[in-house]
Amino acid sequence: MVLVTAVKDYINRMLQDISGMKVLILDSQTVSIVSVVYSQSELLQKEVFLVELVDSVPISKKESMSHLKAVYFLRPTSQNIHHLRRQLSNPRFGEYHLFFSNMLKDTQIHILADSDELEVVQQVQEFYADFVACDPYHFTLNIPANHIFMLPAVVDPPGLQLFCDRVVDGIATVFLALKRRPVIRYQRTSDIAKRIAQETSKLMYQQESGLFDFRRTEISPLLLIVDRRDDPVTPLLNQWTYQAMVHELIGVQDNKVDLRSVGNLPKDQQEVVLSSEQDAFFKANMYENFGDIGMNIKKMVDDFQQAAKSNQNIQTIEDMAKFVDSYPEYRKMHGNVSKHVTLVTEMSKIVEERKLMLVSETEQELACNGAQVAAFEAVTNLLKNESVSDFDCLRLVMLYALRYEKESPVQLMQLFNKLASRSPKYKPGLVQFLLKQAGVDKRTGDLYGNRDFLNIARNMARGLKGVENVYTQHQPLLLQTMESIIKGRMRDMDYSFVGNHYQQGRPQDVVIFVVGGTTYEESRSVALLNASNPGIRFILGGSVVLNSKRFLKDLEEAQKIARNSTNAV
């Protein structure tokens, strides 16, 4: 059972067992959880005629709707319990059905029971879906303060415990939805990965042991917790496959793309949905490269024109009846064609404006090949090029610094100076902060494949074969990690076990959680690997879904806090 199906099943059960007209009441996080797996029209089919936020309008200002049944789906936070208390003391609806996305505390159950003086609550249940299932094998927790994971251990901000609690909650419900209890490993060099792994283990094996006591299977699933700082290269790169590219250039939030900033689009196209569950063209093309997408969209446009032509040919009543029957399908096709044409047109415009083909070729060289002199020259030339944006220059210098921090400190200083003289917006110290956080001394994995003989050989073989597409030659470190899990070659010295639960044999289910966020390039690797290895299933999760803009914003936030805490000492 994959993630989207798991969440959808919970929501189906929630809505179809309650007959009659309903209002669905959500909080700011369960809105995302529901919206990625359930469309407006599906909610209507389940007789949901109104969707409200639990904290939207003061209760006294709202009219009574006793003909409606209220279905609440909320995270069990103290804030939500507080809202519920107030709403139950002055009920607007005929019945109240309360569902929570995670485990309720006993004290919270008592508070709800005490508040229900008029006995309007029909049921209180836990439905374990405390994560946003963007794709069948990819989930996110949408944690706003994602930068906290980057702070040095000495800072220990008050928000860090909240961050860890949210991650533990999210991971716990993924395993409750899968009905399994995992063996847990974590990246040894990361304090925060260790902390989350230990707290997750404590929850699953001690505090809520009974809840996780599912029927044993011969081989336990594996939960591996890693730190984004082990691979800072992947979120810095431009992307050239469809889903990843849309997120990098325009932005995707909960499978929606906001196009309000794009020219004169009709109202219904200012926000579009990109979901592999609801859009067959997207499902077939989300991992394809940009060149192929253009061809495939052209074919879709041709098919649509064909359909439009046959619809113009209405001569008899029978023809008209046929057209009316197929009209919803025709409209849907029309909407889909314009959506993908708009996206690809907008991305082509951005690629041209920012000279991204030129920039990306150098990025890929920096990420995949080791010629330092040529790399320095290429980055220097791009820094001189007025058409290349400051943002792209900063990324290039970061990619160069991550690769050659030990080899060429003099050239690195020259690039820092060029960057500073080029743009007043350049934040001095941001590249150095990245190196302090995610430099070679901090990383566990073999990021550039040049540590052990096997990786060197693999890189040479790839170089000899030639890469079909220079823009998509990079492969995230995560792919290497998954391959070593498949081959049973994960080193205990790099990835420690929690407690005395060890893996016997090769796991069939693996959840990899990236503290600090995942990328769509990585979720593509997971989907392709799952498709080619039927005996093992990987699921990828993270605190947010990153693109380079978000990664740099988090870096800046963390740098600011770290600097302030140093000054305060």
Side-chain angles (χ1 to χ4, degrees):
M1 180 163 66
V2 286
L3 301 173
V4 174
T5 318
V7 179
K8 209 165 185 165
D9 285 352
Y10 278 138
I11 297 164
N12 279 338
R13 275 164 52 196
M14 216 182 284
L15 298 176
Q16 65 200 19
D17 294 348
I18 302 161
S19 60
M21 291 166 70
K22 294 176 276 287
V23 53
L24 180 61
I25 297 174
L26 305 165
D27 63 37
S28 59
Q29 287 174 294
T30 55
V31 160
S32 301
I33 293 167
V34 173
S35 71
V36 295
V37 300
Y38 235 79
S39 67
Q40 257 346 100
S41 56
E42 286 172 310
L43 284 175
L44 275 171
Q45 283 164 15
K46 295 277 189 280
E47 295 184 281
V48 173
F49 293 103
L50 192 60
V51 179
E52 281 189 1
L53 280 175
V54 71
D55 58 354
S56 55
V57 178
I59 199 92
S60 54
K61 305 247 173 70
K62 292 188 169 180
E63 76 278 20
S64 171
M65 296 183 177
S66 53
H67 60 294
L68 289 178
K69 296 173 181 178
V71 180
Y72 282 74
F73 180 47
L74 307 172
R75 295 200 66 240
T77 61
S78 47
Q79 220 174 358
N80 284 339
I81 298 293
H82 170 71
H83 290 309
L84 260 175
R85 243 179 111 164
R86 282 189 17 257
Q87 292 173 23
L88 289 172
S89 65
N90 181 11
R92 293 164 57 212
F93 304 107
E95 288 180 7
Y96 283 68
H97 301 262
L98 311 182
F99 298 94
F100 292 91
S101 65
N102 212 318
M103 294 164 262
L104 279 165
K105 297 186 181 79
D106 288 347
T107 50
Q108 293 175 321
I109 296 170
H110 291 312
I111 290 170
L112 292 174
D114 292 344
S115 312
D116 185 28
E117 286 175 12
L118 298 170
E119 298 187 349
V120 286
V121 175
Q122 305 296 307
Q123 57 177 323
V124 178
Q125 288 203 52
E126 295 169 347
F127 273 5
Y128 304 114
D130 208 1
F131 53 89
V132 179
C134 343
D135 290 313
Y137 302 106
H138 183 204
F139 70 92
T140 176
L141 301 180
N142 282 352
I143 300 179
N146 187 55
H147 61 275
I148 280 182
F149 88 97
M150 274 192 208
L151 293 172
V154 288
V155 177
D156 198 15
L160 187 61
Q161 190 55 52
L162 291 172
F163 179 93
C164 292
D165 290 346
R166 179 67 190 97
V167 172
V168 172
D169 286 350
I171 291 173
T173 62
V174 167
F175 282 97
L176 287 169
L178 297 170
K179 298 186 170 45
R180 309 291 295 279
R181 174 161 50 190
V183 162
I184 303 171
R185 297 179 78 169
Y186 63 89
Q187 181 187 316
R188 193 179 50 79
T189 51
S190 166
D191 291 334
I192 192 162
K194 180 180 183 177
R195 182 170 172 171
I196 288 167
Q198 288 175 336
E199 289 177 18
T200 305
S201 175
K202 195 173 165 190
L203 178 79
M204 292 179 174
Y205 285 93
Q206 290 166 33
Q207 295 158 340
E208 296 292 345
S209 168
L211 198 54
F212 284 88
D213 199 9
F214 299 109
R215 193 168 55 81
R216 298 281 159 83
T217 49
E218 276 174 43
I219 300 168
S220 298
L222 170 66
L223 165 63
L224 174 65
I225 297 171
V226 297
D227 190 316
R228 178 75 267 163
R229 287 169 289 189
D230 217 30
D231 175 7
V233 168
T234 300
L236 281 171
L237 291 173
N238 260 303
Q239 297 301 323
W240 295 93
T241 56
Y242 197 22
Q243 184 187 35
M245 196 174 177
V246 174
H247 187 44
E248 177 57 34
L249 299 184
I250 304 172
V252 179
Q253 180 64 42
D254 300 333
N255 293 357
K256 294 187 188 74
V257 185
D258 183 347
L259 290 167
R260 278 173 303 192
S261 58
V262 177
N264 308 317
L265 288 179
K267 207 163 174 34
D268 63 341
Q269 278 181 38
Q270 290 179 4
E271 185 181 76
V272 297
V273 175
L274 269 191
S275 159
S276 57
E277 298 294 302
Q278 295 169 28
D279 178 340
F281 178 83
F282 181 64
K283 186 177 186 171
N285 289 280
M286 59 200 281
Y287 303 133
E288 296 295 327
N289 70 52
F290 196 48
D292 294 338
I293 296 295
M295 309 282 286
N296 296 348
I297 285 180
K298 187 186 177 314
K299 186 183 177 314
M300 182 167 68
V301 170
D302 293 345
D303 292 347
F304 176 69
Q305 283 172 334
Q306 228 19 71
K309 220 174 269 170
S310 63
N311 285 335
Q312 283 164 2
N313 201 13
I314 293 175
Q315 286 166 354
T316 65
I317 301 263
E318 229 166 35
D319 290 343
M320 202 180 292
K322 250 186 230 159
F323 172 66
V324 169
D325 281 346
S326 66
Y327 185 66
E329 206 43 52
Y330 174 76
R331 268 198 67 173
K332 192 177 166 190
M333 195 177 175
H334 177 264
N336 230 14
V337 170
S338 9
K339 168 172 81 179
H340 292 291
V341 168
T342 302
L343 284 171
V344 169
T345 309
E346 182 58 18
M347 291 196 298
S348 305
K349 210 162 76 192
I350 296 169
V351 166
E352 182 46 45
E353 271 167 18
R354 283 172 51 190
K355 301 289 172 265
L356 289 183
M357 295 193 93
L358 196 62
V359 171
S360 189
E361 203 168 330
T362 299
E363 285 177 16
Q364 291 283 330
E365 283 298 310
L366 285 168
C368 306
N369 304 314
Q372 188 246 318
V373 178
F376 176 72
E377 200 176 307
V379 174
T380 306
N381 288 338
L382 287 168
L383 288 181
K384 287 180 196 158
N385 186 335
E386 289 299 311
S387 311
V388 177
S389 73
D390 294 343
F391 178 74
D392 292 321
C393 287
L394 177 59
R395 284 186 313 105
L396 285 161
V397 174
M398 283 181 163
L399 288 164
Y400 182 90
L402 285 165
R403 177 124 211 180
Y404 301 114
E405 61 178 301
K406 299 285 194 210
E407 287 169 51
S408 60
V410 176
Q411 276 106 325
L412 199 48
M413 279 314 296
Q414 289 175 336
L415 292 180
F416 289 164
N417 294 336
K418 281 198 173 65
L419 198 55
S421 65
R422 190 198 140 100
S423 161
K425 275 196 243 152
Y426 166 58
K427 314 277 190 306
L430 198 59
V431 185
Q432 290 92 322
F433 184 71
L434 174 64
L435 292 179
K436 205 181 286 180
Q437 288 297 305
V440 69
D441 299 336
K442 299 277 184 181
R443 299 194 295 261
T444 300
D446 190 1
L447 185 57
Y448 294 107
N450 51 13
R451 271 192 223 161
D452 69 30
F453 181 72
L454 249 166
N455 279 335
I456 294 167
R458 185 195 293 151
N459 283 352
M460 275 174 66
R462 205 169 64 183
L464 291 172
K465 266 195 306 201
V467 178
E468 284 170 49
N469 185 337
V470 71
Y471 298 106
T472 53
Q473 54 183 316
H474 174 258
Q475 292 177 333
L477 181 67
L478 183 85
L479 186 62
Q480 242 182 53
T481 310
M482 293 191 292
E483 284 172 352
S484 44
I485 292 171
I486 290 172
K487 292 172 183 150
R489 288 204 187 124
M490 269 188 90
R491 300 194 306 186
D492 294 3
M493 60 183 284
D494 289 338
Y495 299 98
S496 312
F497 285 93
V498 179
N500 54 2
H501 307 282
Y502 296 103
Q503 199 88 43
Q504 305 297 323
R506 192 183 80 161
Q508 288 161 333
D509 281 295
V510 181
V511 174
I512 300 178
F513 188 88
V514 188
V515 184
T518 55
T519 65
Y520 282 120
E521 186 188 349
E522 288 161 330
S523 75
R524 175 178 183 266
S525 296
V526 167
L528 298 180
L529 200 69
N530 282 340
S532 58
N533 288 277
I536 188 165
R537 176 178 65 181
F538 287 94
I539 287 173
L540 176 67
S543 40
V544 294
V545 184
L546 294 165
N547 54 15
S548 58
K549 217 173 268 146
R550 177 65 197 262
F551 183 65
L552 290 180
K553 184 172 159 277
D554 287 342
L555 201 61
E556 271 180 59
E557 286 289 314
Q559 185 198 20
K560 211 183 325 177
I561 296 170
R563 198 190 286 136
N564 291 345
S565 74
T566 318
N567 295 343
V569 172

